[in-house]
């Protein structure tokens, strides 16, 4: 099993550009999450999904959109990137009823100039 | 709303000495508490959990945590630190009855020879 994978690992964008981050998991998990990690702020939840075709807002959803067309994939989109979105983005997944065992991907380091 | 606080940004310990990484929580109802570890350039990994039962819970890599209801604390401990324990440690609390976790800001543990 590959677990949770994220594509790409690194990206540099100019302000106003758009991009999509891909998260894939091969554990057949129902729940998936997108977090951002910033120094001194820990992890903050952007959006999450409790199953294929469903998404919901987390703590810091503004400026991001998500889609969960297939159970194994969770996409995070930035329509018009801003320097404030410079961060490390983590995807995670877990089984229903086991909320603490979230499995994390290796992260995507995004810089917006 | 549930929250966790990690009062120390960094903890320095000599190899072989005991270590403690502090976490306090604020929840309504029974707390579900967790510790995760993040090694450099990696995603977070689950270490241990407290849901109910014994106040001392044991986890991976020789770590344990002590739940103290009166002090609303859930400190992470290890009797003898290793240089390889150097990492970023996050305390987390389950939100309500769902699957979302709220993470603390993290504590950088540095174990020196």
């Amino acid at each position: 099993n590959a677990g949770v994978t994220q594509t790409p690992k690194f990206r540099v964008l100019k302000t106003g550009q758009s991009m999509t981050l891909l998260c894939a998991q091969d554990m057949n998990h129902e729940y998936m999450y997108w977090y951002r990690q910033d120094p001194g702020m820990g992890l903050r939840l952007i959006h999450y999904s409790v199953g294929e075709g469903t998404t919901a807002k987390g703590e810091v959803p503004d400026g991001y959109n998500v889609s969960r067309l297939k159970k194994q994939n969770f996409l995070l989109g930035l329509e018009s990137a801003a320097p404030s979105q410079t961060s490390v983005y983590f995807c995670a997944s877990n089984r229903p009823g086991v909320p603490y065992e979230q499995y994390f991907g290796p992260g995507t380091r995004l810089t917006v100039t | 709303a549930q929250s966790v606080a990690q009062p120390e940004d960094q903890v320095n310990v000599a190899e072989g000495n005991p270590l403690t990484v502090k976490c306090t929580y604020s929840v309504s109802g029974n707390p579900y508490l967790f510790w995760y570890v993040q090694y450099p350039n990696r995603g977070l990994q689950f270490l241990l959990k407290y849901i109910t039962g014994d106040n001392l819970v044991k986890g991976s890599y020789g770590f344990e945590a002590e739940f103290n209801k009166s002090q609303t604390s859930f400190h992470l401990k290890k009797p003898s630190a290793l240089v390889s324990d150097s990492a970023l440690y996050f305390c987390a609390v389950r939100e309500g009855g769902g699957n979302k976790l709220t993470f603390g800001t993290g504590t950088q543990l540095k174990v020196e020879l």
Side-chain angles (χ1 to χ4, degrees):
Chain A
N1 285 351
V4 179
T5 58
Q6 292 182 232
T7 309
K9 288 186 169 52
F10 304 93
R11 186 71 186 268
V12 178
L13 287 179
K14 293 189 188 317
T15 298
Q17 287 184 321
S18 64
M19 77 163 294
T20 300
L21 282 66
L22 170 64
C23 175
Q25 52 92 6
D26 61 1
M27 296 173 284
N28 203 34
H29 286 169
E30 290 289 338
Y31 297 166
M32 296 186 74
Y33 312 82
W34 276 108
Y35 294 92
R36 59 178 289 173
Q37 182 179 26
D38 302 292
M41 304 195 72
L43 270 73
R44 292 180 292 170
L45 182 65
I46 305 171
H47 286 280
Y48 64 100
S49 168
V50 298
E52 182 179 315
T54 74
T55 63
K57 293 180 180 180
E59 181 186 354
V60 289
D62 293 343
Y64 305 95
N65 56 74
V66 287
S67 64
R68 183 103 181 266
L69 299 179
K70 294 182 179 181
K71 186 177 183 179
Q72 63 267 34
N73 295 338
F74 195 28
L75 278 63
L76 178 71
L78 286 73
E79 290 186 347
S80 180
S84 61
Q85 294 178 303
T86 293
S87 187
V88 181
Y89 292 86
F90 287 99
C91 177
S93 70
N94 70 271
R95 292 178 286 134
V98 193
Y100 43 86
E101 274 194 48
Q102 289 191 12
Y103 292 81
F104 282 78
T108 294
R109 187 172 295 274
L110 175 66
T111 302
V112 183
T113 61
Chain B
Q2 280 83 327
S3 66
V4 290
Q6 295 181 242
E8 301 157 318
D9 291 335
Q10 181 159 324
V11 170
N12 297 323
V13 176
E15 189 175 52
N17 283 0
L19 70 87
T20 299
V21 183
K22 296 179 181 177
C23 172
T24 59
Y25 65 89
S26 174
V27 303
S28 53
N30 294 323
Y32 286 27
L33 298 159
F34 318 100
W35 277 101
Y36 279 75
V37 60
Q38 184 182 28
Y39 296 102
N41 301 311
R42 303 286 295 276
L44 277 69
Q45 297 176 34
F46 170 73
L47 263 184
L48 52 78
K49 68 182 184 292
Y50 172 83
I51 295 177
T52 187
D54 289 342
N55 290 342
L56 186 65
V57 294
K58 295 187 183 299
S60 308
Y61 313 121
F63 283 93
E64 56 191 26
E66 185 170 12
F67 171 70
N68 188 317
K69 189 172 184 177
S70 62
Q71 296 186 0
T72 61
S73 66
F74 188 56
H75 299 333
L76 181 70
K77 300 182 179 186
K78 188 174 183 182
S80 179
L82 298 172
V83 171
S84 57
D85 293 329
S86 298
L88 188 56
Y89 290 82
F90 289 95
C91 184
V93 63
R94 178 184 183 181
E95 287 193 25
N99 280 270
K100 290 188 291 178
L101 299 180
T102 296
F103 289 87
T105 52
T107 297
Q108 185 70 50
L109 174 66
K110 188 173 182 181
V111 182
E112 299 168 309
L113 290 170

